[in-house]
Amino acid sequence: MSIKKLNQIYEGKAKKVFATDDPSFYIVEYKDDATAFNGLKHGTISGKGVINNKMSNAMFSLLEKNGVKTHFVEQLSDRETVVKAVKIVPLEIIIRNVAAGSFSKRYGVEEGRELKCPTLEFSLKDDALNDPLINDSHILALGVATEKELDDIRKMAFKVNDVLKEFFASIGVKLIDFKIEAGRLPNGEIILADEISPDTCRFWDAKTNEKLDKDRFRRDLGGVEEAYQEIFSRINNK
Ligand code: TMP
């Protein structure tokens, strides 16, 4: 694909987004920067950008094969990928299979408790407000998404969970929870966007429950780079 990278249109905590000479496509560039607690904690995870780029692309390809439409188009380099230009729906879409993190805190449930069924929750993507939890009724009332979009997002999120849970189980990893984002194509269709990586998922080793994700950075557990490498090499050796 011959595509020209133009001006930067957005810089997030872990990625930059660039316009291209084709308005249907953006180029995303993954950084090694890591933040936690809404930017309060800053650091660098060496090599993270390369791993997250390649891993996300592998996960999006797997999901496409299983009927989930995603923004993934083509990997350009170690850190750069061409994606479909979408408008991000300002929601963090979170699926949980096992209690952990903010869910455990909020409901007083020990981390690691298997949930009776997968749960879905939404947070409003708004750094100034600290990404507050938001329910379906609020989403509709505020016009963040329509009923039909919410329906499509819910179906997509549970389908992503089914596909990823099975895939990670096959490489000895429990998918505890994850966050995805949805984008709107110009025709209004909802597709999967953003990334799927150890930044946005909790992965525990199936045998030892060792954490293989960004919680190692958030909680100062050490072995951060090694955890990202471990997940990536299990995916590559599959
Ligand atoms: P939480 O337990 O802190 O709410 O996180 C749930 C999942 O969402 C976990 O896999 C980490 C991911 N996540 C993000 O990708 N970005 C965020 O800003 C937060 C808070 C969580």
Side-chain angles (χ1 to χ4, degrees):
M1 181 174 207
S2 86
I3 195 160
K4 214 161 130 219
K5 195 173 178 181
L6 300 179
N7 53 303
Q8 181 177 309
I9 49 178
Y10 177 76
E11 178 160 10
K13 296 180 187 116
K15 296 190 286 300
K16 295 175 181 174
V17 182
F18 295 85
T20 71
D21 54 354
D22 183 332
S24 304
F25 301 112
Y26 294 152
I27 291 174
V28 293
E29 187 183 306
Y30 286 73
K31 309 188 284 183
D32 284 352
D33 301 11
T35 62
F37 315 117
N38 197 19
L40 278 180
K41 176 174 176 152
H42 284 266
T44 302
I45 302 176
S46 174
K48 170 171 89 80
V50 176
I51 289 178
N52 286 6
N53 183 33
K54 294 180 177 177
M55 174 171 167
S56 260
N57 293 342
M59 295 302 102
F60 285 136
S61 301
L62 172 74
L63 288 162
E64 288 274 359
K65 270 191 214 126
N66 284 276
V68 179
K69 293 202 172 144
T70 80
H71 73 167
F72 175 58
V73 178
E74 187 187 323
Q75 189 170 300
L76 280 186
S77 70
D78 274 1
R79 289 178 187 272
E80 295 167 302
T81 291
V82 182
V83 297
K84 290 180 189 160
V86 292
K87 290 227 160 66
I88 294 287
V89 179
L91 292 172
E92 303 216 323
I93 303 152
I94 296 167
I95 292 267
R96 302 178 191 267
N97 297 304
V98 174
S102 68
F103 184 94
S104 285
K105 259 204 198 110
R106 189 177 319 117
Y107 301 116
V109 181
E110 78 277 13
E111 287 206 311
R113 192 210 283 184
E114 191 86 33
L115 301 173
K116 289 187 193 301
C117 57
T119 67
L120 168 69
E121 76 204 36
F122 297 110
S123 294
L124 181 67
K125 253 176 85 80
D126 186 328
D127 282 342
L129 297 175
N130 220 349
D131 297 345
L133 269 182
I134 187 166
N135 69 23
D136 297 28
S137 169
H138 297 158
I139 291 170
L140 296 176
L142 293 171
V144 175
T146 65
E147 187 86 61
K148 162 83 169 75
E149 286 175 334
L150 265 186
D151 231 47
D152 291 346
I153 288 172
R154 269 189 229 103
K155 285 194 190 107
M156 177 172 80
F158 284 113
K159 173 77 185 177
V160 169
N161 188 42
D162 289 343
V163 174
L164 293 187
K165 218 166 38 174
E166 187 183 329
F167 172 78
F168 283 102
S170 78
I171 57 170
V173 170
K174 276 191 248 177
L175 178 62
I176 304 300
D177 56 33
F178 63 87
K179 185 267 301 184
I180 52 175
E181 294 182 22
R184 287 185 188 103
L185 286 172
N187 70 3
E189 193 182 359
I190 291 285
I191 64 172
L192 183 64
D194 195 47
E195 67 180 275
I196 294 179
S197 74
D199 275 17
T200 61
C201 306
R202 285 195 173 93
F203 300 122
W204 292 5
D205 180 85
K207 285 207 191 90
T208 64
N209 282 343
E210 188 191 353
K211 294 184 194 340
L212 298 171
D213 57 61
K214 193 177 165 190
D215 269 350
R216 302 205 73 85
F217 168 80
R218 295 188 188 100
R219 302 178 186 193
D220 296 320
L221 299 176
V224 182
E225 278 87 359
E226 291 80 358
Y228 280 70
Q229 276 296 343
E230 174 64 23
I231 279 286
F232 188 51
S233 70
R234 287 197 204 183
I235 292 169
N236 283 330
N237 294 332
K238 158 91 176 150

